[in-house]
Coordinates of all heavy atoms in Angstrom, one line a residue:
D1 N -21.2 -3.8 6.3 CA -22.0 -3.3 7.4 C -23.5 -3.4 7.1 O -24.2 -2.4 7.2 CB -21.6 -1.8 7.7 CG -20.2 -1.7 8.2 OD1 -19.7 -2.7 8.8 OD2 -19.6 -0.6 8.1
I2 N -23.9 -4.5 6.8 CA -25.3 -4.7 6.5 C -25.7 -6.1 6.9 O -24.9 -7.0 7.0 CB -25.6 -4.6 4.9 CG1 -27.1 -4.5 4.7 CG2 -24.9 -5.6 4.1 CD1 -27.4 -4.1 3.2
T3 N -27.0 -6.2 7.4 CA -27.5 -7.5 7.8 C -28.6 -7.9 7.0 O -29.3 -7.1 6.4 CB -27.9 -7.4 9.3 OG1 -29.0 -6.4 9.5 CG2 -26.8 -7.0 10.2
L4 N -28.9 -9.2 7.0 CA -30.0 -9.8 6.3 C -31.3 -9.1 6.7 O -31.6 -9.0 7.8 CB -30.1 -11.3 6.5 CG -31.1 -12.1 5.8 CD1 -30.8 -12.0 4.2 CD2 -31.1 -13.6 6.1
G5 N -32.1 -8.7 5.7 CA -33.4 -8.1 5.9 C -33.3 -6.6 6.2 O -34.4 -5.9 6.3
Q6 N -32.1 -6.0 6.2 CA -32.0 -4.6 6.5 C -32.4 -3.7 5.3 O -32.2 -4.1 4.2 CB -30.5 -4.3 6.9 CG -30.3 -2.8 7.1 CD -28.8 -2.5 7.5 OE1 -28.1 -3.5 7.8 NE2 -28.4 -1.3 7.4
S7 N -33.1 -2.7 5.5 CA -33.5 -1.7 4.5 C -32.3 -0.9 4.1 O -31.5 -0.5 4.9 CB -34.6 -0.8 4.9 OG -35.8 -1.6 5.1
V8 N -32.1 -0.6 2.8 CA -31.0 0.2 2.3 C -31.6 1.3 1.6 O -32.3 1.2 0.7 CB -30.1 -0.7 1.4 CG1 -28.9 0.2 0.9 CG2 -29.6 -1.9 2.1
A9 N -31.1 2.6 2.0 CA -31.5 3.8 1.3 C -30.9 3.9 0.0 O -29.7 3.5 -0.2 CB -31.2 5.0 2.2
T10 N -31.5 4.5 -1.0 CA -30.9 4.9 -2.3 C -29.7 5.7 -2.0 O -29.7 6.7 -1.3 CB -31.9 5.7 -3.2 OG1 -33.1 4.9 -3.3 CG2 -31.3 5.9 -4.5
G11 N -28.6 5.3 -2.7 CA -27.3 6.1 -2.6 C -26.4 5.6 -1.5 O -25.3 6.0 -1.4
K12 N -26.9 4.7 -0.6 CA -26.0 4.1 0.4 C -25.2 3.0 -0.2 O -25.6 2.1 -0.9 CB -26.8 3.5 1.6 CG -25.9 2.9 2.6 CD -26.8 2.4 3.8 CE -26.0 1.4 4.6 NZ -25.3 1.7 5.7
R13 N -23.8 3.1 0.1 CA -22.9 2.1 -0.4 C -23.0 0.8 0.4 O -22.9 1.0 1.7 CB -21.5 2.6 -0.4 CG -20.5 1.6 -1.0 CD -19.1 1.9 -1.1 NE -18.8 3.3 -0.7 CZ -17.5 3.7 -0.6 NH1 -16.5 2.9 -1.0 NH2 -17.2 4.9 -0.3
V14 N -23.3 -0.3 -0.2 CA -23.5 -1.5 0.5 C -22.2 -2.3 0.5 O -21.8 -3.0 1.4 CB -24.6 -2.3 -0.1 CG1 -24.8 -3.7 0.7 CG2 -25.9 -1.5 0.0
F15 N -21.5 -2.3 -0.7 CA -20.2 -3.0 -0.8 C -19.4 -2.3 -1.9 O -19.9 -1.5 -2.7 CB -20.4 -4.5 -1.1 CG -21.1 -4.8 -2.4 CD1 -20.4 -4.9 -3.6 CD2 -22.5 -4.9 -2.5 CE1 -21.1 -5.2 -4.8 CE2 -23.1 -5.1 -3.7 CZ -22.4 -5.2 -4.8
S16 N -18.1 -2.7 -1.9 CA -17.2 -2.2 -2.9 C -16.6 -3.4 -3.6 O -16.2 -4.3 -3.0 CB -16.1 -1.3 -2.3 OG -16.7 -0.2 -1.7
I17 N -16.3 -3.2 -4.9 CA -15.6 -4.2 -5.7 C -14.2 -3.6 -5.8 O -14.0 -2.5 -6.3 CB -16.2 -4.5 -7.0 CG1 -17.6 -5.0 -6.9 CG2 -15.3 -5.4 -7.9 CD1 -18.4 -5.2 -8.1
V18 N -13.2 -4.4 -5.4 CA -11.8 -3.9 -5.4 C -11.0 -4.9 -6.2 O -11.0 -6.1 -6.1 CB -11.3 -3.9 -3.9 CG1 -9.9 -3.5 -3.9 CG2 -12.2 -3.1 -3.0
K19 N -10.2 -4.2 -7.0 CA -9.2 -5.0 -7.8 C -7.9 -5.0 -7.0 O -7.4 -4.0 -6.7 CB -9.0 -4.3 -9.2 CG -8.0 -5.0 -10.1 CD -7.8 -4.3 -11.4 CE -6.7 -4.9 -12.2 NZ -6.4 -4.1 -13.4
L20 N -7.4 -6.2 -6.8 CA -6.2 -6.4 -5.9 C -4.9 -6.8 -6.7 O -3.9 -7.2 -6.1 CB -6.5 -7.5 -4.8 CG -7.6 -7.1 -3.8 CD1 -7.8 -8.3 -2.9 CD2 -7.2 -5.8 -3.1
S21 N -5.0 -6.6 -8.0 CA -3.8 -6.8 -8.8 C -3.7 -5.8 -9.9 O -4.6 -5.8 -10.8 CB -3.8 -8.2 -9.4 OG -2.6 -8.4 -10.1
P22 N -2.8 -4.9 -9.9 CA -1.7 -4.8 -8.9 C -2.3 -4.1 -7.6 O -3.4 -3.6 -7.6 CB -0.7 -3.9 -9.5 CG -1.5 -3.0 -10.5 CD -2.7 -3.9 -11.0
I23 N -1.5 -4.2 -6.6 CA -1.9 -3.6 -5.3 C -0.8 -2.6 -4.9 O 0.4 -2.7 -5.3 CB -2.1 -4.6 -4.2 CG1 -2.8 -4.0 -3.0 CG2 -0.7 -5.3 -3.8 CD1 -3.3 -5.2 -2.0
W24 N -1.1 -1.5 -4.2 CA -0.2 -0.5 -3.7 C 0.2 -0.9 -2.3 O -0.6 -1.2 -1.5 CB -0.8 0.9 -3.7 CG -1.0 1.5 -5.0 CD1 -0.7 1.0 -6.2 CD2 -1.7 2.7 -5.2 NE1 -1.2 1.9 -7.2 CE2 -1.7 3.0 -6.6 CE3 -2.2 3.7 -4.4 CZ2 -2.3 4.1 -7.1 CZ3 -2.8 4.8 -4.9 CH2 -2.9 5.0 -6.3
V25 N 1.5 -0.8 -2.0 CA 2.0 -1.0 -0.7 C 2.6 0.4 -0.3 O 3.5 0.8 -1.0 CB 3.1 -2.2 -0.6 CG1 3.7 -2.2 0.8 CG2 2.5 -3.5 -1.1
I26 N 2.2 0.9 0.7 CA 2.7 2.3 1.2 C 3.6 2.0 2.4 O 3.3 1.4 3.4 CB 1.5 3.2 1.7 CG1 0.4 3.3 0.6 CG2 2.1 4.5 2.1 CD1 0.8 3.9 -0.7
L27 N 4.8 2.5 2.1 CA 6.0 2.3 3.1 C 6.3 3.7 3.7 O 6.2 4.7 3.0 CB 7.1 1.7 2.4 CG 6.9 0.4 1.6 CD1 8.3 0.1 0.9 CD2 6.5 -0.7 2.5
D28 N 6.8 3.7 4.9 CA 7.4 4.9 5.5 C 8.9 4.7 5.5 O 9.4 3.7 6.1 CB 6.9 5.1 6.9 CG 5.5 5.6 7.0 OD1 5.0 6.2 6.1 OD2 4.8 5.3 8.0
I29 N 9.6 5.6 4.8 CA 11.0 5.5 4.8 C 11.6 6.5 5.7 O 11.3 7.7 5.7 CB 11.5 5.8 3.3 CG1 10.9 4.8 2.3 CG2 13.0 5.8 3.2 CD1 11.3 3.4 2.5
Y30 N 12.6 6.1 6.5 CA 13.2 7.1 7.4 C 14.0 8.1 6.6 O 14.5 7.9 5.6 CB 14.2 6.4 8.4 CG 13.5 5.5 9.4 CD1 13.5 4.2 9.4 CD2 12.7 6.2 10.4 CE1 12.8 3.4 10.3 CE2 12.1 5.4 11.4 CZ 12.1 4.0 11.3 OH 11.4 3.3 12.2
Q31 N 14.0 9.3 7.2 CA 14.6 10.5 6.6 C 16.0 10.2 6.0 O 16.3 10.6 4.9 CB 14.6 11.6 7.6 CG 15.0 13.0 7.0 CD 14.9 14.1 8.0 OE1 14.1 14.0 9.0 NE2 15.6 15.2 7.8
E32 N 16.8 9.5 6.8 CA 18.2 9.3 6.4 C 18.3 8.3 5.2 O 19.3 8.2 4.6 CB 19.1 8.9 7.5 CG 18.6 7.6 8.3 CD 17.7 7.9 9.5 OE1 17.2 9.0 9.6 OE2 17.4 6.9 10.1
Q33 N 17.2 7.6 4.9 CA 17.2 6.6 3.8 C 16.8 7.2 2.5 O 16.9 6.6 1.5 CB 16.3 5.4 4.2 CG 16.8 4.6 5.4 CD 15.8 3.6 5.8 OE1 14.6 3.9 5.8 NE2 16.3 2.4 6.1
I34 N 16.2 8.4 2.5 CA 15.6 9.1 1.4 C 16.7 9.1 0.2 O 16.3 8.8 -0.9 CB 15.0 10.5 1.7 CG1 13.9 10.3 2.7 CG2 14.7 11.2 0.4 CD1 13.3 11.6 3.2
P35 N 17.9 9.5 0.4 CA 18.9 9.5 -0.8 C 19.1 8.2 -1.4 O 19.6 8.2 -2.5 CB 20.1 10.1 -0.1 CG 19.7 10.7 1.1 CD 18.5 10.0 1.6
S36 N 18.7 7.1 -0.7 CA 19.0 5.8 -1.2 C 17.9 5.2 -2.1 O 18.0 4.1 -2.6 CB 19.2 4.8 -0.1 OG 20.3 5.2 0.7
I37 N 16.8 5.9 -2.3 CA 15.7 5.4 -3.0 C 15.4 6.3 -4.2 O 15.7 7.4 -4.3 CB 14.4 5.3 -2.2 CG1 14.0 6.7 -1.7 CG2 14.6 4.3 -1.0 CD1 12.6 6.7 -1.1
Q38 N 14.8 5.6 -5.3 CA 14.4 6.3 -6.5 C 13.2 5.7 -7.2 O 13.0 4.5 -7.0 CB 15.6 6.5 -7.4 CG 16.1 5.1 -7.9 CD 17.4 5.4 -8.8 OE1 17.9 6.5 -8.9 NE2 17.9 4.3 -9.4
I39 N 12.4 6.4 -8.0 CA 11.3 5.9 -8.6 C 11.8 4.8 -9.6 O 12.9 5.0 -10.3 CB 10.5 7.0 -9.4 CG1 9.9 7.9 -8.3 CG2 9.5 6.4 -10.3 CD1 9.1 9.1 -8.9
G40 N 11.1 3.7 -9.7 CA 11.5 2.6 -10.5 C 12.4 1.5 -9.9 O 12.5 0.5 -10.4
Q41 N 12.9 1.9 -8.7 CA 13.7 0.9 -8.0 C 13.0 -0.3 -7.5 O 11.8 -0.2 -7.1 CB 14.3 1.6 -6.8 CG 15.3 0.8 -6.0 CD 15.9 1.7 -4.9 OE1 15.6 2.9 -4.7 NE2 16.7 1.1 -4.0
T42 N 13.5 -1.5 -7.7 CA 12.9 -2.7 -7.2 C 13.1 -2.8 -5.7 O 14.2 -2.6 -5.2 CB 13.5 -3.9 -7.9 OG1 13.2 -3.8 -9.3 CG2 12.8 -5.2 -7.5
V43 N 12.1 -3.3 -5.0 CA 12.2 -3.5 -3.5 C 11.6 -4.8 -3.2 O 10.7 -5.4 -3.9 CB 11.5 -2.4 -2.7 CG1 12.1 -1.0 -2.9 CG2 10.0 -2.3 -3.0
E44 N 12.2 -5.4 -2.2 CA 11.6 -6.7 -1.7 C 10.8 -6.4 -0.5 O 11.2 -5.6 0.4 CB 12.8 -7.6 -1.3 CG 13.6 -8.1 -2.5 CD 14.6 -9.2 -2.2 OE1 14.4 -9.9 -1.2 OE2 15.6 -9.3 -2.9
I45 N 9.6 -7.1 -0.4 CA 8.7 -6.9 0.7 C 8.5 -8.2 1.4 O 8.2 -9.2 0.8 CB 7.4 -6.3 0.2 CG1 7.6 -4.9 -0.5 CG2 6.3 -6.3 1.3 CD1 6.4 -4.4 -1.2
S46 N 8.6 -8.2 2.7 CA 8.3 -9.4 3.6 C 7.2 -9.0 4.6 O 7.4 -7.9 5.3 CB 9.6 -9.8 4.3 OG 10.6 -10.2 3.4
T47 N 6.2 -9.8 4.7 CA 5.2 -9.5 5.7 C 5.4 -10.3 6.9 O 6.0 -11.3 6.9 CB 3.8 -9.8 5.1 OG1 3.6 -11.1 4.9 CG2 3.6 -9.0 3.8
P48 N 4.7 -9.9 8.0 CA 4.8 -10.7 9.3 C 4.3 -12.2 9.1 O 4.8 -13.1 9.8 CB 4.0 -10.0 10.3 CG 4.0 -8.6 9.8 CD 4.0 -8.7 8.2
N49 N 3.4 -12.4 8.2 CA 2.9 -13.8 8.0 C 3.6 -14.6 7.0 O 3.1 -15.6 6.5 CB 1.4 -13.7 7.7 CG 1.0 -13.0 6.4 OD1 1.9 -12.2 5.9 ND2 -0.1 -13.2 5.9
G50 N 4.8 -14.1 6.6 CA 5.7 -14.9 5.8 C 5.5 -14.7 4.3 O 6.2 -15.5 3.5
I51 N 4.9 -13.8 3.8 CA 4.8 -13.5 2.3 C 6.0 -12.7 1.9 O 6.3 -11.7 2.6 CB 3.5 -12.7 2.0 CG1 2.3 -13.6 2.3 CG2 3.5 -12.3 0.5 CD1 0.9 -12.9 2.2
H52 N 6.6 -13.2 0.9 CA 7.8 -12.5 0.3 C 7.5 -12.2 -1.2 O 7.1 -13.0 -1.9 CB 9.1 -13.3 0.4 CG 9.4 -13.7 1.8 ND1 10.0 -12.9 2.7 CD2 9.2 -14.9 2.5 CE1 10.1 -13.5 3.8 NE2 9.7 -14.7 3.8
T53 N 7.6 -10.9 -1.6 CA 7.4 -10.5 -2.9 C 8.2 -9.3 -3.3 O 8.9 -8.8 -2.5 CB 5.8 -10.2 -3.1 OG1 5.5 -10.0 -4.5 CG2 5.4 -9.0 -2.3
Q54 N 8.1 -8.9 -4.6 CA 8.9 -7.8 -5.0 C 7.9 -6.8 -5.7 O 6.8 -7.1 -6.2 CB 9.9 -8.2 -6.1 CG 11.1 -8.9 -5.5 CD 12.1 -9.1 -6.6 OE1 11.9 -9.0 -7.8 NE2 13.3 -9.4 -6.2
G55 N 8.3 -5.5 -5.7 CA 7.5 -4.5 -6.3 C 8.5 -3.4 -6.8 O 9.7 -3.5 -6.6
R56 N 7.9 -2.4 -7.4 CA 8.7 -1.2 -7.8 C 8.2 0.1 -7.2 O 7.0 0.3 -7.1 CB 8.7 -1.1 -9.4 CG 9.3 -2.3 -10.1 CD 9.8 -1.8 -11.5 NE 10.4 -2.9 -12.2 CZ 11.7 -3.1 -12.1 NH1 12.5 -2.4 -11.4 NH2 12.3 -4.1 -12.8
I57 N 9.1 0.9 -6.9 CA 8.7 2.2 -6.3 C 8.1 3.0 -7.4 O 8.6 3.3 -8.5 CB 9.9 3.0 -5.7 CG1 10.5 2.2 -4.6 CG2 9.5 4.4 -5.4 CD1 11.8 2.8 -3.9
D58 N 6.8 3.4 -7.2 CA 6.0 4.2 -8.1 C 6.0 5.7 -7.9 O 5.9 6.5 -8.8 CB 4.6 3.6 -8.1 CG 3.7 4.3 -9.1 OD1 4.0 4.2 -10.3 OD2 2.6 4.9 -8.7
S59 N 6.0 6.0 -6.6 CA 6.0 7.4 -6.2 C 6.7 7.7 -4.9 O 6.6 6.7 -4.0 CB 4.6 8.1 -6.3 OG 3.8 7.6 -5.2
I60 N 7.3 8.8 -4.7 CA 7.9 9.2 -3.4 C 7.2 10.4 -2.9 O 7.1 11.4 -3.7 CB 9.4 9.4 -3.6 CG1 10.0 8.0 -4.2 CG2 10.1 9.8 -2.4 CD1 11.4 8.2 -4.6
G61 N 6.8 10.4 -1.7 CA 6.2 11.6 -1.1 C 7.1 12.8 -1.1 O 8.3 12.7 -1.3
S62 N 6.6 14.0 -0.9 CA 7.4 15.2 -0.9 C 7.5 15.9 0.4 O 8.2 16.8 0.6 CB 6.9 16.2 -1.9 OG 5.5 16.5 -1.7
V63 N 6.8 15.4 1.4 CA 6.8 16.0 2.8 C 7.1 15.0 3.8 O 6.5 13.9 3.9 CB 5.4 16.6 3.0 CG1 5.4 17.2 4.5 CG2 5.0 17.6 2.0
V64 N 8.1 15.3 4.6 CA 8.5 14.4 5.7 C 7.6 14.6 6.9 O 7.3 15.7 7.3 CB 10.0 14.8 6.2 CG1 10.4 13.9 7.4 CG2 10.9 14.4 5.0
D65 N 7.1 13.5 7.4 CA 6.2 13.5 8.6 C 7.1 14.0 9.8 O 8.0 13.4 10.2 CB 5.7 12.1 8.9 CG 4.7 12.1 10.1 OD1 5.1 12.7 11.2 OD2 3.7 11.4 10.0
P66 N 6.7 15.2 10.4 CA 7.6 15.7 11.4 C 7.6 14.9 12.7 O 8.6 14.9 13.4 CB 7.0 17.1 11.6 CG 5.5 17.0 11.2 CD 5.6 16.0 10.0
A67 N 6.6 14.2 13.0 CA 6.5 13.4 14.2 C 7.3 12.1 14.0 O 8.1 11.8 15.0 CB 5.1 13.0 14.6
K68 N 7.2 11.4 12.9 CA 7.9 10.2 12.7 C 9.2 10.3 12.0 O 10.1 9.4 11.9 CB 7.1 9.2 11.9 CG 5.8 8.8 12.6 CD 5.0 7.6 12.0 CE 4.5 8.0 10.7 NZ 3.7 7.0 10.0
R69 N 9.5 11.5 11.3 CA 10.6 11.8 10.5 C 10.7 10.7 9.4 O 11.8 10.2 9.1 CB 11.9 11.8 11.3 CG 11.9 12.7 12.5 CD 11.6 14.1 12.2 NE 12.5 14.8 11.3 CZ 12.3 16.0 10.6 NH1 11.1 16.6 10.8 NH2 13.1 16.4 9.8
T70 N 9.6 10.5 8.7 CA 9.5 9.5 7.6 C 8.9 10.1 6.4 O 8.1 11.1 6.5 CB 8.7 8.3 8.0 OG1 7.4 8.6 8.4 CG2 9.4 7.5 9.1
L71 N 9.1 9.5 5.3 CA 8.5 10.0 4.0 C 7.7 8.7 3.4 O 8.2 7.6 3.5 CB 9.6 10.3 3.1 CG 9.3 10.9 1.7 CD1 8.7 12.3 2.0 CD2 10.5 11.1 0.9
S72 N 6.5 9.0 2.9 CA 5.7 7.9 2.4 C 6.2 7.6 0.9 O 6.5 8.4 0.2 CB 4.3 8.3 2.3 OG 3.7 8.3 3.6
V73 N 6.3 6.3 0.7 CA 6.7 5.7 -0.6 C 5.7 4.7 -1.1 O 5.3 3.9 -0.3 CB 8.1 5.1 -0.5 CG1 8.5 4.4 -1.8 CG2 9.1 6.1 -0.1
R74 N 5.2 4.8 -2.3 CA 4.2 3.9 -2.8 C 4.9 2.9 -3.7 O 5.7 3.2 -4.7 CB 3.2 4.6 -3.6 CG 2.1 3.6 -4.2 CD 0.9 4.4 -4.8 NE 1.4 5.0 -6.0 CZ 0.8 6.1 -6.5 NH1 -0.2 6.7 -6.0 NH2 1.3 6.6 -7.7
V75 N 4.8 1.6 -3.4 CA 5.4 0.5 -4.2 C 4.2 -0.3 -4.8 O 3.2 -0.5 -4.2 CB 6.1 -0.4 -3.2 CG1 6.7 -1.6 -4.0 CG2 7.3 0.3 -2.6
V76 N 4.3 -0.5 -6.1 CA 3.3 -1.3 -6.8 C 3.8 -2.7 -7.0 O 4.9 -3.0 -7.4 CB 3.1 -0.7 -8.3 CG1 2.1 -1.6 -9.1 CG2 2.6 0.7 -8.2
V77 N 3.0 -3.6 -6.5 CA 3.2 -5.1 -6.4 C 2.2 -5.8 -7.4 O 1.0 -5.5 -7.3 CB 3.2 -5.6 -5.0 CG1 3.4 -7.1 -5.0 CG2 4.1 -4.9 -4.1
D78 N 2.7 -6.7 -8.2 CA 1.8 -7.4 -9.1 C 0.7 -8.1 -8.4 O -0.5 -7.9 -8.8 CB 2.7 -8.4 -9.9 CG 1.8 -9.2 -10.9 OD1 0.9 -8.7 -11.5 OD2 2.1 -10.5 -11.0
N79 N 0.9 -8.9 -7.4 CA -0.1 -9.5 -6.6 C -1.1 -10.4 -7.3 O -2.3 -10.5 -7.0 CB -0.8 -8.5 -5.7 CG -1.6 -9.1 -4.5 OD1 -1.0 -10.0 -3.9 ND2 -2.8 -8.6 -4.2
A80 N -0.7 -11.0 -8.4 CA -1.5 -11.8 -9.3 C -2.2 -13.0 -8.5 O -3.3 -13.3 -8.8 CB -0.7 -12.4 -10.5
D81 N -1.5 -13.5 -7.5 CA -2.1 -14.6 -6.7 C -3.0 -14.1 -5.6 O -3.6 -14.9 -4.9 CB -1.0 -15.5 -6.1 CG -0.1 -14.7 -5.2 OD1 -0.2 -13.5 -5.0 OD2 0.8 -15.4 -4.7
G82 N -3.1 -12.8 -5.4 CA -4.0 -12.2 -4.4 C -3.6 -12.4 -3.0 O -4.4 -12.3 -2.0
A83 N -2.3 -12.7 -2.7 CA -1.8 -13.0 -1.4 C -1.8 -11.8 -0.5 O -2.1 -11.9 0.7 CB -0.3 -13.5 -1.5
L84 N -1.6 -10.6 -1.1 CA -1.6 -9.4 -0.3 C -3.1 -8.8 -0.3 O -3.7 -8.8 -1.3 CB -0.7 -8.3 -0.8 CG 0.8 -8.7 -0.8 CD1 1.7 -7.7 -1.5 CD2 1.3 -9.0 0.6
K85 N -3.5 -8.4 0.9 CA -4.9 -7.8 1.1 C -4.7 -6.4 1.6 O -3.8 -6.1 2.3 CB -5.7 -8.7 2.0 CG -5.7 -10.1 1.6 CD -6.6 -10.4 0.5 CE -6.7 -11.9 0.3 NZ -6.5 -12.4 -1.0
P86 N -5.8 -5.5 1.4 CA -5.8 -4.2 2.0 C -5.8 -4.3 3.5 O -6.3 -5.3 4.1 CB -7.1 -3.6 1.5 CG -7.4 -4.4 0.3 CD -6.9 -5.8 0.5
Q87 N -5.1 -3.3 4.1 CA -5.0 -3.2 5.6 C -4.2 -4.3 6.2 O -4.1 -4.6 7.3 CB -6.4 -3.2 6.3 CG -7.3 -2.1 5.7 CD -6.8 -0.7 5.9 OE1 -6.2 -0.3 6.9 NE2 -6.9 0.1 4.9

């Protein structure tokens, strides 16, 4: 969010350096699937643009979203080739 020639105030963040390996993939697991998952479990991930990879469950949320009836699960993926991007 900056343009050429723009003044920048001290303390304003201009850019961020992000390490993308490993990367976290946050999944919503339906309530009835919760008993089937555990920390350390290997999962396969497929994206709409055809990327297929594997990761391991690193953490499992503790609160079910009342609107969606899902639980957040964090999967850590190696992503050494940088194929997966944030958002």
Side-chain angles (χ1 to χ4, degrees):
D1 293 338
I2 191 168
T3 59
L4 185 60
Q6 179 179 343
S7 296
V8 178
T10 303
K12 176 179 166 90
R13 184 180 352 177
V14 178
F15 62 90
S16 298
I17 298 174
V18 178
K19 181 180 175 188
L20 296 177
S21 179
I23 195 167
W24 291 355
V25 176
I26 308 299
L27 308 174
D28 287 334
I29 303 296
Y30 288 111
Q31 185 174 343
E32 58 271 8
Q33 296 171 320
I34 295 170
S36 302
I37 63 170
Q38 60 186 8
I39 292 177
Q41 182 176 0
T42 300
V43 296
E44 292 188 28
I45 297 171
S46 298
T47 67
N49 61 341
I51 296 172
H52 302 282
T53 190
Q54 289 187 343
R56 293 204 179 274
I57 295 177
D58 182 61
S59 70
I60 300 171
S62 57
V63 178
V64 173
D65 181 315
K68 297 188 292 182
R69 306 307 298 165
T70 59
L71 187 68
S72 289
V73 174
R74 182 173 66 206
V75 176
V76 177
V77 178
D78 180 38
N79 200 39
D81 61 358
L84 298 175
K85 308 286 188 230
Q87 307 299 322

